[in-house]
Amino acid sequence: MNLTLTLAVFLLLNLLVALIRVARGPTPADRLLAALLFGTTGVAILLLLADAMSQTAFIDAALVFALLAAISGAAFARRAWREEVPDDESR
Amino acid sequence: MSLVEGASLALLIAGAAFFFAGTVGLLRFPDVYTRLHALAKADNLGLGLVVLGLLLRAPGWATGIKLVLIWLLALLASATVGFLIARRARRHGIAPWRAGDRE
Amino acid sequence: MKLTLATVRAVLWRSALFAVLWWALTDGRPDSWGVGSVSVAFATTVSIYLLPPVNTYVSRIGLLRFLVFFIVQSLRGGAQVAGFALRPRMGLRPGFHEIDLRLPEGIGRVLLANTLSLLPGTLSVELQGNRLCLHVLDERAPTETEVRAAESRLADLLGLTLHTTG
């Protein structure tokens, strides 16, 4: 077993433990942390697998993961910032 | 093993170590805000080191540019999503844990 | 749209950027450039309309200094969190910290809020006008100094002037 595969499996275990922790909450905000986990740990696992298995397609999958994480973040942000306009004007 | 290979391995292992620290932080930290710190910092540094380690092994420039792009997108995602979660939590009145409270 | 020097420069820079991006995404396959050149032209056109060129340029020395600052601070931030997480007694002293920004309104403040979330000990929670609310891991840490340093670096990068607070 080569090193990148070992590290990918190690990170997968990390992700599993973290997801169990996140699913337990206790608040809804804690559960939202899963979005962050896929954006970082998920991406790292895919990149390491791409190297371990010489499958460059996994890099593209990682790119899509990161892009989706960024776009969903930006979409939420736009909505949330619009709510804030009255506060900005009253300043 | 060449010097570049060695550096790459060291970076990859260091990256995995930061992911591990991030997970430990997620398990041990007392509230959602501190857990966000754990993910936003340790995991992003972990990903940065992994990307750097893989850059040294990248077969060509195209793959290298893709890796850097992925890292930048992941940073952007973590920063915005982390900010939004923290803000929602505060607006919904989730009180931060203070030193002296039960951990 | 008026054809100014700024527009021409922006078109050249941006089409070069999109071309590099296309080249990387397709792994440099030569047979993809039929679709590629159309995509690059389209992306450049759309970007010019959505984000019109302005006459301020990002300073290159500012960018380099910001990158170095960001990398060093990321390392410190990761090490600090790892230190708290792995210590038997964590010794966290978290709390909220409000601070008035000196950066002018606009992209600079948003960038600062995002940057601070990745720097040691600080996490942006709320940005209203020039007031930024942070969550800090350690209330005893010199948060003010850290924020001011990041603020100055960003102002250098974007060529902005800082307001005085008080």
Side-chain angles (χ1 to χ4, degrees), chain A residues 14 21 30 51 60 80 84, chain B residues 9 23 35 57 66 87:
Chain A
N14 262 290
R21 172 71 195 81
D30 285 289
D51 183 272
D60 296 315
E84 213 180 62
Chain B
L9 290 188
T23 307
R35 282 179 213 134
R57 305 158 66 105
K66 244 188 245 179
R87 177 156 90 167

Side-chain angles (χ1 to χ4, degrees), chain B residues 18 21 24-25 28-30 33 36-38 40-41 44-45 61-62 65-66 79 83 87 90-91 96-99 103, chain C residues 23-24 27 78 81-82 85 87-88 90 92-96 98 117-119 121-126 135 137 139:
Chain B
F18 275 107
V24 174
R28 290 189 70 200
F29 284 1
Y33 304 102
L36 270 171
H37 278 277
K41 291 168 190 79
N44 271 320
L45 183 55
W61 278 93
I65 293 174
K66 244 188 245 179
F83 173 67
R87 177 156 90 167
R90 187 161 172 263
R91 291 204 172 166
W97 178 89
R98 309 276 299 173
E103 272 185 21
Chain C
W23 175 79
D27 290 318
V81 164
R87 230 174 279 158
M90 291 188 289
L92 290 170
R93 286 281 293 273
F96 287 126
E98 299 215 340
S117 290
L118 303 170
L119 296 191
T122 51
L123 179 81
S124 299
V125 174
E126 185 87 66
H135 183 267
L137 275 184
E139 285 179 314

Side-chain angles (χ1 to χ4, degrees), chain A residues 3-4 7 10-11 13-15 17-19 21-22 25-30 32-37 39-41 43-44 47-48 51 56 59-60 62-63 66-67 69-74 76-77 79-81 83-84 87, chain B residues 9 12-13 15-17 19-21 23-24 26-32 35-36 39-40 43-44 46-47 50-51 54 57 59 63 66-67 69-71 73-74 76-85 87-89 91 94:
Chain A
L3 182 97
T4 39
L7 288 179
F10 174 71
L11 288 191
L13 290 175
N14 262 290
L15 183 61
V17 173
L19 281 179
R21 172 71 195 81
V22 160
T27 65
D30 285 289
L32 279 174
L33 296 178
L36 277 176
L37 281 168
T40 50
T41 319
V43 166
L47 291 178
L48 287 167
D51 183 272
T56 46
I59 297 187
D60 296 315
L63 187 67
L67 197 61
I71 287 177
S72 50
F76 277 120
R79 238 193 98 180
W81 272 322
E83 284 166 22
E84 213 180 62
D87 296 328
Chain B
L9 290 188
L12 290 177
I13 292 172
F19 273 111
F20 176 72
T23 307
V24 174
L26 192 66
L27 296 180
R28 290 189 70 200
F29 284 1
D31 70 354
V32 65
R35 282 179 213 134
L36 270 171
L39 289 186
D43 278 17
N44 271 320
L47 182 62
V50 166
V51 164
L54 290 174
R57 305 158 66 105
T63 312
K66 244 188 245 179
L67 285 173
L69 196 65
I70 290 171
W71 181 59
L73 283 173
L76 180 71
S78 295
T80 35
V81 178
F83 173 67
L84 288 166
I85 295 176
R87 177 156 90 167
R88 265 187 79 158
R91 291 204 172 166
I94 297 173

